Amino acid sequence: MKFKLFIIIGCILILGAKKVEIPYDTVLMIKAGQAYKYKTIATGKPNLDVIEECRGHCKWMVTHRMSHEGFSGRNARLAAKYPGHNFREIVATHSGYTNDPEEAALQIFKQWRGSSGHNKFLKKSSRIYGFSIAHIGSRWVAIGLMSN
């Protein structure tokens, strides 16, 4: 089976004095999170290292079951690069019948909002974060990593 990671189209964000190209799948997730007015997105900044960890795990989740498997490794790699950051992770799957990635991203955040644990993480302030979403068949998978 083929899966889609939305990497063709990106978005240029200005972070401080630096221009950073953010992958399209991450931009979709940021927009969806902004629609729900989550503090994590309002207070933090997208980080390419965190985004790459998200994209790698999202690609894995497309062909495997959704899980937090390997989080300790992702956390260790990021913590080594960003001392003093405490990372948390959220994952989701959505089996809706949409081929629209924007709608899928909104549905993922709707699921996270309905879960007290996921919602709690997203309501917290963050310093840096990353998101990714991928699609296979009628199933969407997503991941978010954020630090406080």
Side-chain angles (χ1 to χ4, degrees), residues 19-91:
K19 289 183 182 180
V20 178
E21 185 167 349
I22 303 297
Y24 183 60
D25 62 308
T26 300
V27 172
L28 290 176
M29 294 298 287
I30 291 170
K31 283 175 55 180
Q34 287 171 335
Y36 283 99
K37 299 181 180 170
Y38 275 118
K39 197 171 185 179
T40 287
I41 293 167
T43 60
K45 292 182 180 175
N47 177 283
L48 292 178
D49 292 324
V50 180
I51 291 167
E52 285 307 309
E53 288 288 346
C54 288
R55 297 183 94 216
H57 189 59
C58 205
K59 183 178 177 180
W60 181 88
M61 286 194 316
V62 165
T63 55
H64 298 80
R65 293 178 56 180
M66 181 195 76
S67 76
H68 293 281
E69 187 170 323
F71 172 66
S72 60
R74 287 185 290 286
N75 188 41
R77 285 187 295 276
L78 290 169
K81 288 182 181 181
Y82 301 96
H85 286 249
N86 181 24
F87 289 89
R88 54 197 188 272
E89 177 179 84
I90 53 177
V91 296

